[in-house]
Structures are given as C-alpha cells and as structure tokens.
Amino acid sequence: MANPSTSIDPAQPFVPVILGGDIGTYTLAREFHEAYGVRSVVMPAAGNGVIEHSVAIELRPIGSMADEARVTQALRELAEELAGEGERPLLLFGSLDYHVMLIARHREELSAHYVIPYPELEVIEQAALKENFYALAERLGVPHPRTRVYRPGNAVATVVEGLNFPLIGKPSSSGDWIAAKFAGKQKIHTLKDFQQLTDLLSRIDASGYDSATSCRSTFPAGMTPCACAPTSPLSRTRAPRSSLPGTGKW
C-alpha cells in the first residue's frame, strides 16, 4: 500500500495514530496538539469535514476497515515510515468500539510497533458487550433496567418474559453493528409492542448481524441513563473551543 512521505516532524517525540474519522477522532488529536504540541496521524475510511484541514492532523484515508488484514498491513507500513531511524513511541488509538476491538484482536501483531493503551480483548468485552455489562451489574447489585438478550435463532417470546413494553432494543456489540445493513436501522430502537419487536429482530437476523441484541425495560422512575449505561471513554467529547486564528480548526 503506497503512502506519501509523512509530514510529521522527525523531531516530534511521539506520534499518536488514530483509527477513525468522527468528532471523537478530531477531539483526541486536538487534545494531543494542545497539551504537547504534536500532530496525530488519523486513518479514517475517507476524509470528511470533521477531520480535514486541521493543524493537529495528518490525514491518511485507507478505505473500508472491514478487511482487518489490510488495516493491520497499513498500520505496519505506517509504523515503519514514522519510526525512521529513531525509537520514538507510536501510540495507537481507536475512536469507536469497532476500532478498539480491531486493535485488541491484533494486539500481538501490532504491539511490536505501537504502544496500545487498552486491556486485553477479554477484559474489553466484559464491559463493552452490553449483555456482559448488565450481568456484571446484576452480580454487583448495581441498579439497572431489567434486560433480556436475544441471539439469532432464539424464540422471541422468551426474550420478553418479565418485561413490559415499551422496550429499548440495541445491539450488544456496537462494533459488529456497523456492518449491519437493513431498512430502518437505528443505534437504539424504541419498541411499542410485540409486533414491532418481532419485525425488528427479523430484519436484524436477515442483515447478517450475528451478535446479541439487548432488549430492556425503560428506566425506572428516579434512575438516569448515565447511572447504568456503559460508555466508551473515547466516545466522550468536549464541546469545541475557539479555533486558531485564520484556520477554523485547532
């Protein structure tokens, strides 16, 4: 995979490399630039207005990330390019759960080139996969909405036992959810009755998404979503502050 020569300053003491192209990607690169004066290499599927024309970012679009072997190859080649003759650290980040899981799955290969600030895949899945998170909350006695898990092939009627409509339906694995394609797809589905639930699950099954789908009751009175909803640290972003004069970007 041919890449242009990097414009990262050879004297820069370390280089953040970020997979993704959303506002979280831009925010992370901006924070590194503000705190340490360094530029980050951002590797999205394609450029967009959020991450283009920033003084904090060198953009390296690499196309679809569905082919993980091609992504890891691109990361290896970039590491060779950035390291040069020096030994400066290369820090590898993902802006979405999908990217973090990709990095974790290929930790052994990528850790030869990058510092990876994530735990092992098994540890990530304990918190990131929603059925695991709610099971952990149950064991620890943390209040949470009553939840049932559907997997392809399960009887839908058993999923709703003990639950009252309306229900909230959401993918357990947001990383796998990215590849699912079907009419009416949303990040979170509000389901008013059993018919809506069966219709949604049939469309999910037909999409090829084969991870779990969580169905839960709405939040009880007095409970706020932030009290029990798992959130990836890299998905939290701060509101943009003033930009550098004449650039429109930090």
Side-chain angles (χ1 to χ4, degrees), residues 208-231:
Y209 173 81
D210 57 6
S211 294
T213 300
S214 296
C215 299
R216 65 163 176 79
S217 303
T218 53
F219 289 102
M223 180 184 290
T224 59
C226 63
C228 57
T231 304

Side-chain angles (χ1 to χ4, degrees), residues 38 50 60 73 76 79 100 117 120 144 151 169 172 186 226:
V38 300
V50 174
R60 295 292 188 89
Q73 177 184 346
R76 290 195 308 271
V100 173
E120 301 295 331
H144 63 285
R151 292 182 174 82
S172 176
Q186 301 177 37
C226 63

